[in-house]
């Protein structure tokens, strides 16, 4: 499986839905798209709001 491709597609999908997620008022967690341990920074472009389940899935993909 190509986990990089899966992760990139997942993040692109969630980025397209992020405004609706934030407007819904549900609990969200901030995720670094490129982890700080891999050179990512705290820039707005590198952060995305995810549900807790989506956040877990994102880290699962990164761990693979």
């Amino acid at each position: 499986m190509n986990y990089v491709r899966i992760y990139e597609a997942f993040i692109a999908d969630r980025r397209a839905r992020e405004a609706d997620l934030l407007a819904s008022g549900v609990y969200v967690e901030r995720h670094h798209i490129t982890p700080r341990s891999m050179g990512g920074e705290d820039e707005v472009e590198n952060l995305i709001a995810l549900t807790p389940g989506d956040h877990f899935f994102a880290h699962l993909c990164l761990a693979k």
Side-chain angles (χ1 to χ4, degrees):
M1 280 191 156
N2 186 339
Y3 288 101
V4 171
R5 184 184 57 77
I6 293 169
Y7 179 74
E8 289 173 352
F10 174 75
I11 292 297
D13 177 72
R14 292 314 187 263
R15 178 68 83 192
R17 300 177 186 202
E18 186 177 23
D20 290 337
L21 178 63
L22 291 170
S24 74
V26 300
Y27 172 76
V28 296
E29 298 175 351
R30 288 286 174 183
H31 172 69
H32 287 85
I33 297 168
T34 301
R36 289 184 291 178
S37 64
M38 297 173 69
E41 298 188 12
D42 293 333
E43 302 295 323
V44 173
E45 300 82 25
N46 191 42
L47 294 170
I48 188 168
L50 298 174
T51 66
D54 285 347
H55 198 187
F56 174 81
F57 180 76
H59 281 275
L60 185 65
C61 287
L62 287 168
K64 297 284 184 171

